């Protein structure tokens, strides 16, 4: 199991690049493509089918930097154990390593500009009000860093106190809404969507257009961590797909499915994928979903812990601390939320990831028993 997981971006990238030789067993003309993003790079393994281009399997990891390590493990496992089941003659594969390479390298969710890339795919920026996220603006003192962390326990208690009162005042729903919509006012604040398209988003948009133009159907798996039941995988998909949660569960054999309203989540990449299909390639097939490996769980207590972890990590990055306990505590919690060292969790990632891939591909008729 351990060889699927990496301890650094460089190690993960090397493992990914070495997958090319294994992919070539099924796609002899497969190639490794590299696209520079600042000082780092996005790497792509592209394998085209020998016959007609009926379908394309697209796997993306690392849109949220640190979350890419689990996605890289599942991608590695897919190539080594599941690729033989793909209908290679008419189905291509496009594997993308680290949509956000800087974030993955530095173990952060955001990129070097503090942008949450999954809030950066804004369809029409000119129509989005500057202060689109009113709830966020009202709670900016919570979400925007406001000074050095002098004492770890005091910083935690201040946030806990606010979050607890928020629940009593029905403010917790507002905080969750602030997270979903992202924000475009405060560059140092959490959930910042950026003021313009980031290079990584521009690159992935190009991939979306290219694959929809050249293939009859695209089946997209975007790997993430943190949300959903602990040690389980959850499929997260836009209402633009058109199916209900029950229909999706039945189609793919999944236990956990979350269909979200695109009007409540601004700038996410999978919803942008559907927008491109609907407006430019309406005759093409598309299913594009996030797959989340849960860590903290789904309780209210877990949600508060998630907010606390995100807020303090961001404040630590921008403002720093003189308290070694604070630095260690915040960093350990951040890892526990997005890339736990726990063996049970990592085993679950591989187990649940394999089940998700098989169910998804079987549901789309791209899997064959060998």
């Amino acid at each position: 199991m351990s060889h699927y997981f990496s301890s650094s971006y460089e190690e993960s990238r090397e493992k990914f690049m070495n997958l090319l030789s294994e992919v070539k067993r099924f796609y002899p003309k497969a190639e490794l493509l590299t696209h520079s993003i600042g000082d780092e790079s996005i790497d792509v393994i592209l394998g085209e089918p020998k016959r007609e281009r009926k379908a394309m399997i697209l796997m993306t990891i690392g849109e949220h930097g640190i979350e890419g390590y689990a996605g890289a493990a599942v991608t590695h496992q897919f190539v080594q154990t599941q690729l033989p089941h793909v209908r290679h003659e008419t189905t291509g594969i496009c594997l993308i390593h680290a949509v956000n390479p800087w974030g993955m390298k530095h173990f952060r969710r955001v990129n070097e500009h503090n942008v949450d890339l999954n809030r950066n795919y804004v369809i029409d920026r000119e129509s989005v009000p500057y202060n689109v996220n009113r709830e966020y603006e009202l709670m900016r003192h919570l979400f925007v860093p406001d000074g050095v962390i002098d004492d770890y326990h005091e910083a935690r208690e201040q946030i806990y106190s606010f979050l607890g009162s928020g629940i009593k005042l029905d403010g917790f729903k507002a905080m969750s809404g602030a997270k979903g919509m992202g924000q475009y006012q405060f560059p140092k604040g959490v959930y910042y969507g950026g003021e313009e398209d980031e290079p990584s988003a521009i690159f992935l948009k190009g991939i979306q257009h290219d694959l929809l133009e050249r293939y009859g159907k695209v089946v997209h798996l975007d790997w993430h961590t943190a949300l959903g039941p602990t040690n389980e995988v959850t499929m997260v998909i836009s209402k633009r797909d058109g199916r209900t949660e029950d229909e999706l569960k039945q189609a793919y054999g999944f236990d956990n499915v979350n269909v979200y309203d695109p009007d409540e989540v601004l700038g996410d990449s999978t919803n942008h994928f559907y927008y491109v299909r609907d407006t430019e390639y309406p005759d093409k097939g598309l299913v594009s979903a996030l797959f989340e490996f849960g860590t903290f769980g789904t309780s209210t207590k877990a949600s508060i812990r998630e907010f606390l972890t995100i807020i303090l990590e961001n404040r630590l990055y921008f403002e720093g601390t003189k308290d070694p306990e604070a630095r260690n505590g915040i960093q350990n919690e951040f890892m526990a939320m997005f890339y736990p060292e726990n063996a049970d969790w990592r085993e679950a990632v591989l187990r649940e990831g394999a089940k998700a891939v098989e169910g998804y591909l079987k549901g789309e008729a791209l899997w064959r028993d060998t």
Side-chain angles (χ1 to χ4, degrees), residues 98-160:
V99 173
N100 173 10
W102 185 92
M104 189 170 177
K105 181 175 182 177
H106 294 276
F107 291 88
R108 300 203 74 213
R109 287 182 78 247
V110 295
N111 72 359
E112 59 269 39
H113 304 134
N114 199 46
V115 172
D116 178 339
L117 288 179
N118 210 30
R119 295 295 175 268
N120 188 242
Y121 298 79
V122 179
I123 292 170
D124 182 6
R125 287 188 178 274
E126 293 185 1
S127 69
V128 178
Y130 180 64
N131 59 344
V132 63
N133 198 332
R134 182 61 178 163
E135 289 85 359
Y136 190 104
E137 188 173 14
L138 292 172
M139 295 182 289
R140 60 180 294 182
H141 66 284
L142 179 70
F143 292 131
V144 179
D146 61 351
V148 173
I149 301 172
D150 293 318
D151 182 271
Y152 182 41
H153 297 286
E154 181 180 338
R156 285 169 57 91
E157 286 306 314
Q158 287 177 346
I159 298 173
Y160 263 127

Side-chain angles (χ1 to χ4, degrees), residues 308-347:
L308 183 72
T309 301
I310 291 285
I311 291 166
L312 286 178
E313 187 274 341
N314 186 61
R315 185 175 170 189
L316 176 67
Y317 179 80
F318 280 109
E319 305 292 346
T321 182
K322 298 177 181 178
D323 180 4
E325 183 184 0
R327 182 174 300 279
N328 291 335
I330 293 168
Q331 291 177 340
N332 288 341
E333 272 290 89
F334 198 71
M335 290 293 288
M337 182 172 175
F338 296 110
Y339 189 35
E341 294 183 358
N342 180 277
D344 289 342
W345 183 81
R346 294 191 176 188
E347 289 174 1

Side-chain angles (χ1 to χ4, degrees), residues 276-310:
V276 173
R277 192 279 305 271
D278 293 345
T279 57
E280 299 188 40
Y281 307 95
D283 60 328
K284 300 299 181 73
L286 174 67
V287 55
S288 176
L290 281 72
F291 290 86
E292 292 267 2
F293 296 112
T295 53
F296 288 173
T298 57
S299 66
T300 300
K301 183 178 180 180
S303 296
I304 292 175
R305 186 182 174 191
E306 290 169 5
F307 276 118
L308 183 72
T309 301
I310 291 285

Side-chain angles (χ1 to χ4, degrees), residues 8 22 26 28 42 54 80 108 130 144 162 168 208 213 218 223 264 277 279 282 305-306 333 348:
S8 70
E22 299 191 47
F26 305 97
I42 297 176
K54 283 188 176 181
Q80 290 196 328
R108 300 203 74 213
Y130 180 64
V144 179
F162 182 85
K168 295 174 184 177
Q208 292 176 352
E213 181 179 348
V218 180
W223 300 104
E264 296 177 358
R277 192 279 305 271
T279 57
R305 186 182 174 191
E306 290 169 5
E333 272 290 89

Side-chain angles (χ1 to χ4, degrees), residues 55 62-63 71 85-86 88 97 105 216 222 247 260 278 283 358-359:
E63 185 170 61
H85 293 279
V86 172
H88 316 104
H97 184 270
K105 181 175 182 177
D222 186 28
E247 289 172 333
Y260 70 90
D278 293 345
D283 60 328
E358 182 174 346

